[in-house]
Structures are given as C-alpha cells and as structure tokens.
Amino acid sequence: MEWETVIGLEIHAQLLTNSKIFSGASTAFGAEPNTQACAVDLGFPGVLPVLNQEAVRMAVKFGLGVGAEITKKSVFARKNYFYPDLPKGYQISQFELPIVGKGHIDVQQEDGSLQRVNITRAHLEEDAGKSLHEDFHGQTGIDLNRAGTPLLEIVSEPDMRSAKEAVAYLKAIHSLVRYLEICDGNMQEGSFRCDANVSVRRKGDKLGTRAELKNINSFRFVERAINYEVERQIALIEGGGKVAQETRLYDPTKNETRSMRSKEEANDYRYFPDPDLLPLVVTDELIANIRQDLPELPHQKRERFMKQYNLSAYDADVLVSSRALAMYFETVVQESKAQPKLATNWIMGELSAALNKDNLEITASPVSTTQLATLLQRIEDNTISGKIAKTIFESLWNKEGEVDEIIEKKGLKQVTDTGAIEALIDKIIADNPDNVAAYRAGKEKLFGFFVGQAMKASGGKTNPQQLNELLKKKLADN
Ligand code: ADP
Ligand code: MG
C-alpha cells in the first residue's frame, strides 16, 4: 500500500519589539518572574490596549517577504478560553481578517530543487504567560512576564509531504524572519516554535484526518515527532482503526506523541472583534516605505551567490542560511580574491566544524575574515599547501598570531624549489631499491608510497603538484 504523508505547519515567531504588543511593559527575556507584566497585560478592569506600531511594521515586513497580500483593514478578535496563564480570560488575536493574507516561499530541498510552500495567512496575536510546574511542590507557579508578548502566527497550507520537507520549510521561515530582523529565532527560549499538523492518506485519496503536534521547539524534534506520528497513524489505519482529530504532545525523551485533548473536547473560542481596538489600517504609504527598506532576502541571495560565485545550489543554500554567514563568506572572497569555491570549502568545512565544536556563532569566530582571507591567499600563491593550511588554521583559532607570522615562526613555507624536491626524490629512490624495481615492473599502486615518503621527509611541505610531476618523471627514468 502506498501511503502519502500530508503536513501543514503553524509557526509562532516572537516579534523583536522592545515592548509588548498592547502595553509598554518590557519583552526582555530572563527577568525575575512577574516583574514585566503591567496592568494591561494582567487584564485589570478599566485598562485599554494600545497597539504597538513596531509589531505592525514587522508583520507587514514578513508579508512582503513571502509575497503576500497585506490586508488593508484587519481586525483584532478575542479568543476566549480559561487557563491560569491567561489572566484576561481571552487572548487578543486575529481571526477572520489577518494582517497577512496568502503568500508563498520557495524552499530548497536536499537535492537542490525548489519546492513552493503556500502560506495561508499570518496574524498578529499576544502570547500567554507561563505555568511553572517544576519549581513548586504540589502547586503551580505562574510567571506573567511573557503575557502580551507580540507573536506572528504563520499558517501554511498542507503542502508538505515528508518530515524532511517540513523541516526544510521551517528552516526557510526561520532564516527569513532573522533576515528581516523581526524575530531572534531562538528556539531554546521559545521565540520560534511550531505546531505540526500531520495526516496520512493512500495516494490519490482525499485528505485524511489530522493530528496536531503542539509546541515543538527544535528542528530535530519536529522531524522525529512527525515520523513517529506518521508510523502511528499508518499502523492504526492498517489495523482497522481510525485517526482521531486531536491535539498531541511530543515527548522527546521517549520519542513518542501522546494525546492531549480531542477536538470534541476542544474549546469553543467564541471569537468576536475586540471592542477595545479599532480595525488596524495599513496604508499604501506604509507598505511602500517598508518595501523600500527590505534587505536582500535569502532566496535572492542564494540565486545571486550561484550566479556571481558559480556555487552549487547546496553550497549557496548553506551559506545564505544566516545573513552573518553570508556576509563572512563575501568578505573573505573580496579580501582574498581567492576562488569562491575554495572559500566555500573552508567556511563550510574547517571553520564550521570548529564553530560547532566550541558551540560558537559565526559572529564570534576567533578567526577573522581577514585572517581566513590571508590564509587562502597563501594557499593560492603556493606559499603553503592545503594540508599545512589546516594546521595554521588551528593556530589562528588558538590566537597564536597572524598567518604570515605563523608560517615564518614554524617554518611552514612550502618547498617549491625544483632542485630541492629532486634531491629529496633521489634520496628516496636510492633508499628504496626494491619498491622502485616493483614500481617499474608495473606495480603502479606504489606511487602513493613514494609520495608519502617525500611528504614525511619534508614535514608535509613539498608542493604536491610539483612532487607528483617530478616523481613520475624520475621513476620513469631508467
Ligand atoms: P485549526 O485552527 O483548527 O488548527 P486550520 O484550518 O487553521 O485549523 O489548520 C491548521 C493547519 O493544519 C494548517 O497549517 C493546515 O495546513 C493544516 N491542515 C489542515 N488539514 C490538514 C490535513 N488533513 N493534514 C495535515 N495538515 C492539515
Ligand atoms: Mg491549530
């Protein structure tokens, strides 16, 4: 039986405003509990919400980033439900008329192809507070600092067909909101999280019943949660059962999803327009103004990198995944005038591995763009070999000095003097008569042995290309 997976994501991106969406209280992360919730956030009688214009600008920015229609007159609605971390008894959100309408994003897949994911809508809303279950015995604490923090909820069409595609889409949106500087994308702090709606169907059938996996805050967990859920639903249907429309929680420690509540028990939110807030009007002037300030977007940068630097789709995609990484790359290429592919290999190889190991962001790299650029120049002008460059890179990482200084101090200059290389080869030929005879008798695999000997004798400093040529010539001479 051919099963097909269908996935739609609801992403919550916390907007990077200084103050809350309807009050002047701070949105800074990590403050003492309940020190950043004011009377508006707490829903005291008599207070009035005032819309944060910066949150509006950010939502419009996002809309333009995904080529969406911006709703000229959108409406805030009350979504009513009772929960301890929601002091007002309702959340201010948008329902029928969201600020951002239909849009799309082209997501690069593993094989380099682009897949379009349609975006149904994106709306502004406020976050709730947080229940603290761990810190108290037999009781629940409430921290209302997060209450009223601005969120943009981005809803996709059910366009994804595998966990991998869902993660690729999530990463594309993650990268976009950081490019636009509207969200810090910090998943650990919950600034960027998603609900995954998952269903399965036999190929050609209409959409199956979906389960909603709530609040997943890592790319790895999204992939695992979806894969688990797909297996569960297929097994259920093949066993004669039926998938229930319900909300499920993913438990990363057990790698399973568990039912939280069924749709029948789900709240009736009794949405209605918030009488305290006027409809939100976005003028053409504001839209034009924001459009003018848009940075180069990830997909535009990706295309430019492929053309301008002749990079593969894969390389370009990795490099543009963050604006800072893309900038690092371009600076190194400009400063070094090195082959872009060489710079790419170093940044995606040596540098990325070192950053990962020390858990550092590119912006905190101990090796500066100027240092890497110099290193690449020394490879290209044949002062050092690529192999020696790796040891120099390590020294740079450990702040042992500048490139030329390290080459000088450690005597790492490549041997390119033909006479010196020939002398080295003559000695190796003289020292290994048996191998030389075997090679000349046709055992060509031995060539590597001679290269190894020469490199060992010179501490890896012989120019590999010259060595190869001269060795071939000398070994051929009888
Ligand atoms: P709700 O508000 O109840 O969560 P929506 O209609 O807004 O419902 O849909 C939420 C998400 O579920 C959307 O991202 C949508 O693409 C996705 N979705 C809808 N139907 C399916 C389905 N059959 N399988 C997978 N995802 C679905
Ligand atoms: Mg939902």
Side-chain angles (χ1 to χ4, degrees):
M1 208 75 64
E2 275 261 47
W3 288 99
E4 183 173 57
T5 302
V6 176
I7 303 157
L9 297 188
E10 294 162 276
I11 300 172
H12 283 96
Q14 183 178 316
L15 297 175
L16 265 177
T17 56
N18 294 323
S19 58
K20 303 223 172 137
I21 183 164
F22 299 118
S23 83
S26 167
T27 53
F29 180 84
E32 280 292 295
N34 300 310
T35 55
Q36 290 180 172
C38 71
V40 175
D41 309 325
L42 298 175
F44 274 36
V47 299
L48 276 178
V50 177
L51 181 58
N52 183 333
Q53 287 306 313
E54 206 42 44
V56 174
R57 286 184 68 88
M58 289 177 175
V60 171
K61 231 176 168 184
F62 176 81
L64 296 178
V66 293
E69 306 152 20
I70 305 298
T71 311
K72 295 290 170 56
K73 200 171 181 181
S74 64
V75 171
F76 284 101
R78 290 189 182 178
K79 181 179 183 181
N80 298 277
Y81 64 95
F82 290 93
Y83 208 71
D85 61 17
L86 189 71
K88 293 199 294 289
Y90 61 85
Q91 176 194 27
I92 306 178
S93 180
Q94 295 190 302
F95 186 50
E96 280 169 345
L97 287 170
I99 181 163
V100 175
K102 287 187 194 322
H104 60 82
I105 187 165
D106 290 327
V107 180
Q108 181 147 331
Q109 306 300 306
E110 273 182 341
D111 64 2
S113 68
L114 290 178
Q115 185 209 28
R116 176 156 295 192
V117 175
N118 290 292
I119 289 165
T120 318
R121 57 186 276 158
H123 61 258
L124 282 166
E125 63 183 24
E126 59 178 340
D127 207 346
K130 233 189 221 164
S131 297
L132 308 169
H133 302 292
E134 280 122 37
D135 307 356
F136 304 92
H137 215 70
Q139 291 175 314
T140 296
I142 298 289
D143 176 7
L144 293 170
N145 282 352
R146 208 177 61 182
T149 298
L151 299 178
L152 188 67
E153 177 171 338
I154 304 154
V155 183
S156 85
E157 290 291 305
D159 282 352
M160 287 145 284
R161 293 292 173 268
S162 69
K164 278 212 157 51
E165 284 183 17
V167 171
Y169 163 74
L170 190 62
K171 284 188 172 163
I173 296 286
H174 187 249
S175 161
L176 178 65
V177 296
R178 284 176 306 144
Y179 263 71
L180 295 170
E181 294 175 322
I182 62 172
C183 172
D184 64 18
N186 190 324
M187 296 176 91
Q188 266 128 40
E189 292 177 2
S191 313
F192 188 87
R193 52 194 196 257
C194 90
D195 303 339
N197 294 270
V198 181
S199 67
V200 298
R201 64 176 169 189
R202 292 192 166 95
K203 281 222 165 110
D205 280 5
K206 63 179 179 37
L207 288 182
T209 307
R210 70 187 152 104
E212 182 178 13
L213 313 177
K214 269 285 180 205
N215 267 333
I216 321 179
N217 68 345
S218 98
F219 295 121
R220 195 154 31 105
F221 291 166
V222 169
E223 185 165 346
R224 285 195 198 157
I226 293 173
N227 283 332
Y228 174 88
E229 184 58 21
V230 167
E231 296 289 309
R232 187 189 73 84
Q233 292 185 10
I234 293 175
L236 190 64
I237 299 171
E238 287 185 340
K242 255 180 153 173
V243 175
Q245 184 164 343
E246 62 183 355
T247 303
R248 299 179 70 86
L249 262 193
Y250 175 68
D251 180 344
T253 51
K254 293 194 177 140
N255 188 31
E256 62 178 30
T257 64
R258 277 194 304 272
S259 181
M260 214 167 114
R261 57 172 185 263
S262 77
K263 210 67 184 182
E264 289 79 64
E265 300 163 45
N267 297 300
D268 169 9
Y269 293 122
R270 292 173 296 120
Y271 279 102
F272 64 88
D274 192 313
D276 289 341
L277 287 156
L278 288 170
L280 165 56
V281 174
V282 179
T283 61
D284 288 332
E285 199 190 338
L286 180 68
I287 296 174
N289 186 300
I290 293 171
R291 197 190 294 280
Q292 219 171 17
D293 285 349
L294 282 186
E296 183 182 33
L297 298 177
H299 70 276
Q300 294 163 335
K301 215 188 261 294
R302 185 199 301 131
E303 267 165 46
R304 180 168 66 80
F305 275 22
M306 287 171 69
K307 270 207 204 96
Q308 185 175 340
Y309 302 115
N310 200 18
L311 299 181
S312 70
Y314 177 80
D315 288 351
D317 204 46
V318 173
L319 289 174
V320 307
S321 64
S322 100
R323 229 167 134 175
L325 186 64
M327 174 129 56
Y328 190 101
F329 164 77
E330 287 210 278
T331 312
V332 168
V333 170
Q334 272 155 23
E335 285 188 16
S336 66
K337 307 268 187 307
Q339 290 295 321
K341 182 61 186 162
L342 182 68
T344 305
N345 291 347
W346 272 84
I347 290 171
M348 284 167 52
E350 240 28 50
L351 180 65
S352 287
L355 290 169
N356 272 343
K357 202 168 116 253
D358 288 1
N359 203 9
L360 290 175
E361 294 286 326
I362 183 77
T363 44
S365 168
V367 177
S368 71
T369 50
T370 307
Q371 288 175 322
L372 186 59
T374 313
L375 188 65
L376 300 189
Q377 277 172 348
R378 294 298 164 263
I379 297 173
E380 291 210 325
D381 68 16
N382 274 326
T383 309
I384 51 171
S385 67
K387 204 160 166 201
I388 291 289
K390 291 190 180 174
T391 69
I392 299 175
F393 180 85
E394 251 184 71
S395 302
L396 290 172
W397 190 266
N398 298 325
K399 301 269 177 212
E400 287 169 23
E402 297 303 323
V403 176
D404 291 328
E405 218 181 304
I406 296 167
I407 293 173
E408 198 60 41
K409 211 165 56 191
K410 299 197 174 173
L412 297 174
K413 232 183 214 139
Q414 188 163 239
V415 181
T416 52
D417 169 16
T418 313
I421 299 174
E422 279 178 336
L424 186 71
I425 294 173
D426 288 342
K427 179 157 191 317
I428 290 166
I429 287 180
D431 288 350
N432 299 279
D434 294 351
N435 280 334
V436 173
Y439 177 84
R440 287 179 174 157
K443 208 169 164 197
E444 287 185 8
K445 270 200 307 207
L446 278 171
F447 192 73
F449 162 80
F450 296 109
V451 173
Q453 290 295 306
M455 280 301 184
K456 206 165 119 196
S458 69
K461 287 183 298 190
T462 312
N463 177 292
Q465 214 178 324
Q466 281 176 296
L467 176 64
N468 275 338
E469 280 165 19
L470 292 172
L471 245 182
K472 276 217 178 92
K473 216 170 104 222
K474 291 242 168 203
L475 285 170
D477 295 345
N478 263 312

